[in-house]
Amino acid sequence: MTQRKKIWLEKIISSSYSNTAGIMIQKEGKTLYEKYFNGYTAANSVHVASVTKSIFSALIGIAIENDYIKSIDQKVLDFFPDYTVKLGEKTIQSITIKDMITMTAPYKYKSEPYEKFFKSDNWINAALDLLGGKGQVGQFMYSAIIGTHILSGILVKATGQSVSDFARENLFSPLEIHIGDNVVLNNKEEHIAFFQDKNASGWVVDPQGVNTAGWGLTLTLKDMAKIGQLYLDDGLWNDKQIIPAWWIDESTKEHSRCSQWGNLPYGYLWWIIDEKEHIYAALGDGGNVIYINKKNKMVISIASFFVPNAKDRIKLIKEYIEPTFENDNSQ
């Protein structure tokens, strides 16, 4: 990459994507570009928001491969035998793990009642109370926080471990990713402070100590890049199969489609950017991205601190980053 192109790219980032903390671009396993902004360094972690979902998808695949979960066709309520279904409710009884990870489970709300959910003393029960209703199973309905937390409960019930312990043992430790302590948020003010914290660390837990599946995880830019490279390499890391290759293949195919955001295809908690070219991404609020271009063997990781209505990073990647780096094989 020429110095001129580098200055041009960084000018675009500074002017139009000013909440960026860091960008790393890899091709064929080599780092072509690594740059930090706004006082961030390689040591700083950020709250990656919904990128957490895509990482949690890997944990579900690992749990299935190791026979903790029979299959994604298992019913959600199989894992919560003590949960009492309300009289006359049938839809919730048919909902499967697959419905949850493809965002095709229905809920009893039009928009997520976050405050009510967070104020409850048991987030998983509160989420189960909102699952089902009169909606149709199989229709895309994105659940940013509430529905995905049920997946955390399923993983804990299936494995007998905390989410963070299972993740460390089976995913993070082999990649030498260090996750900080559990984060307890006691009130609205603490929630807001966590989202706004430019030095966030750890993984959010609910009142029972269950880590969140849809948000709440903090990672460094290099951690994000490692996850991306692991997916690009079909789950293989240092000659060890960390995530089953079959799971990555299935996770990054279209299984549903989000009509509300540009008719974008959705896999198993991964966004499918271009199925033909095999490009997919983990996308988190504020502009956090792990972008994998299988055809070009590229991984683009972007860490950002939260601002409302952050500019779309996919546009940055497709219009500026990829054209600049796709033919660059320098190190």
Side-chain angles (χ1 to χ4, degrees), residues 82-219:
D82 297 331
Y83 179 76
T84 304
V85 178
K86 292 179 177 61
L87 193 66
E89 288 200 9
K90 293 181 180 179
T91 305
I92 189 173
Q93 297 178 55
S94 68
I95 294 171
T96 65
I97 293 172
K98 185 174 183 179
D99 298 323
M100 305 298 292
I101 61 177
T102 58
M103 296 290 177
T104 55
Y107 297 91
K108 300 170 188 171
Y109 54 73
K110 287 185 178 179
S111 60
E112 292 189 69
Y114 299 132
E115 286 199 41
K116 183 181 177 183
F117 172 75
F118 288 135
K119 284 179 181 176
S120 67
D121 58 6
N122 188 311
W123 293 2
I124 289 169
N125 280 350
L128 288 169
D129 285 344
L130 292 165
L131 184 64
K134 296 178 181 178
Q136 187 178 344
V137 176
Q139 193 168 33
F140 191 94
M141 186 176 182
Y142 187 75
S143 172
I145 288 176
I146 293 173
T148 44
H149 196 59
I150 294 168
L151 292 170
S152 292
I154 288 172
L155 194 70
V156 169
K157 295 276 188 178
T159 65
Q161 290 182 271
S162 70
V163 171
S164 56
D165 283 349
F166 184 80
R168 281 191 188 96
E169 184 180 315
N170 294 283
L171 180 61
F172 295 144
S173 290
L175 271 60
E176 297 183 344
I177 291 174
H178 173 73
I179 299 299
D181 296 333
N182 287 341
V183 178
V184 178
L185 303 175
N186 295 298
N187 50 51
K188 184 178 179 180
E189 290 70 31
E190 289 183 10
H191 273 262
I192 293 169
F194 178 76
F195 271 84
Q196 293 177 342
D197 186 0
K198 290 187 178 181
N199 294 295
S201 177
W203 196 345
V204 172
V205 293
D206 71 8
Q208 281 67 46
V210 177
N211 298 90
T212 49
W215 64 289
L217 177 65
T218 67
L219 296 170

Side-chain angles (χ1 to χ4, degrees), residues 10-27:
E10 290 172 6
K11 187 176 180 181
I12 289 164
I13 293 164
S14 297
S15 61
S16 299
Y17 303 89
S18 57
N19 67 313
T20 300
I23 294 180
M24 187 179 292
I25 301 160
Q26 297 162 282
K27 187 170 183 183

